[in-house]
Amino acid sequence: MKKFCVFLTLTLFLCTCVRPPKNKVIISDPQRIPPASGKLLTIDYTLSAICWKGYKPIKMNFGILRFKRGELYIEDNQLVGGVFIIDMNSIICENIIDKNKNEKYIQYLKSPDFFDTKKYPEGKFVITKSRTNSFGFNYLDVSISGNLELKGITKNITFNAIIKKKNNVFLSDFYKAKSQYFSIDRTKWKINHVKKNIVKGFKNSLCYHDIGIYVEIVAKPD
């Protein structure tokens, strides 16, 4: 319960406006995945999560997605690779208080109109490149590129993240990374609203294509 409250507080802090963040990532074709090498760390999926936010001009919904599993690779004190499997059926919405409305909204997100979790129960992110932008005594500011697969479609995205260190080295038993708050255009993965009639089509046309995302990863040596 305590862990859930931490993420709820974090999400509430990030979701203080009803417009997508200006920091929109560039989406490109999938890139070559380098062979895995270095020290293996396994993510703690109870402490790791993807915070998401969907937007309308005067309304927003937000919540969390969990990972099924994940691993990172560290070599020469640098992040060199990683694979993350996203549990698309774990999606929750935190701001809709009414239980029935909340369940209906989650059912919609899982439906073929949106994520289609019955057909695509998993998402996947594979790091293709990592570059250090700046560093301090206890952190690294890195630029991470990776292939993001949703609904069977793979695109490459790049975003920044802060990786915690201690005494200028990664912690021997604890590894923590936080991404910047960024947005992606969901339509690039064919995550669209289905326009079945004029009224519904009008409502859906008011939804922004961009989804806000913030990722926090905690990993430990395997």
Side-chain angles (χ1 to χ4, degrees), residues 1 11 59 66 77 102 117 133 161 173 184 192:
M1 182 65 181
T11 309
K59 185 180 179 182
R66 295 288 186 179
N77 212 29
N102 191 300
T117 61
N133 298 320
D173 59 349
I184 61 171
N192 302 304

Side-chain angles (χ1 to χ4, degrees), residues 18-200:
V18 291
R19 291 190 64 84
K22 294 181 180 179
N23 186 25
K24 186 174 180 177
V25 300
I26 296 175
I27 299 172
S28 61
D29 293 333
Q31 303 297 309
R32 183 185 69 86
I33 300 172
S37 63
K39 182 179 181 180
L40 171 65
L41 296 97
T42 303
I43 71 166
D44 184 336
Y45 59 86
T46 66
L47 294 173
S48 303
I50 301 170
C51 299
W52 59 268
K53 180 180 177 183
Y55 312 87
K56 290 183 178 182
I58 58 174
K59 185 180 179 182
M60 61 183 177
N61 290 315
F62 55 85
I64 289 174
L65 266 170
R66 295 288 186 179
F67 296 98
K68 276 191 174 181
R69 57 188 182 277
E71 55 192 31
L72 294 171
Y73 293 93
I74 306 297
E75 191 170 54
D76 296 329
N77 212 29
Q78 301 290 324
L79 174 66
V80 294
V83 180
F84 305 90
I85 306 300
I86 307 166
D87 182 1
M88 301 306 297
N89 280 300
S90 71
I91 192 166
I92 63 171
C93 176
E94 296 183 316
N95 65 289
I96 300 178
I97 305 303
D98 183 271
K99 184 177 179 181
N100 291 331
K101 290 182 179 179
N102 191 300
E103 289 178 352
K104 184 177 291 187
Y105 181 66
I106 292 300
Q107 288 174 4
Y108 170 70
L109 293 181
K110 293 181 177 181
S111 74
D113 290 0
F114 217 79
F115 287 119
D116 197 1
T117 61
K118 185 175 182 180
K119 187 175 181 180
Y120 304 101
E122 295 181 350
K124 188 176 183 181
F125 181 76
V126 184
I127 295 175
T128 56
K129 186 179 180 181
S130 177
R131 183 186 72 244
T132 300
N133 298 320
S134 62
F135 60 90
F137 184 71
N138 63 349
Y139 75 90
L140 281 177
D141 182 335
V142 299
S143 177
I144 298 173
S145 296
N147 292 336
L148 175 62
E149 179 183 336
L150 296 171
K151 296 186 73 172
I153 299 171
T154 303
K155 300 287 184 179
N156 193 267
I157 64 173
T158 301
F159 56 89
N160 286 357
I162 298 295
I163 301 174
K164 281 194 172 183
K165 301 170 70 178
K166 185 177 182 180
N167 298 328
N168 210 29
V169 296
F170 290 109
L171 304 183
S172 59
D173 59 349
F174 193 77
Y175 175 100
K176 192 171 185 178
K178 295 182 179 181
S179 80
Q180 65 185 153
Y181 186 39
F182 61 93
S183 68
I184 61 171
D185 182 349
R186 57 180 169 78
T187 63
K188 300 298 183 181
W189 287 267
K190 294 187 178 181
I191 302 170
N192 302 304
H193 295 272
V194 176
K195 300 180 180 180
K196 294 181 180 179
N197 55 55
I198 295 175
V199 174
K200 185 174 182 179

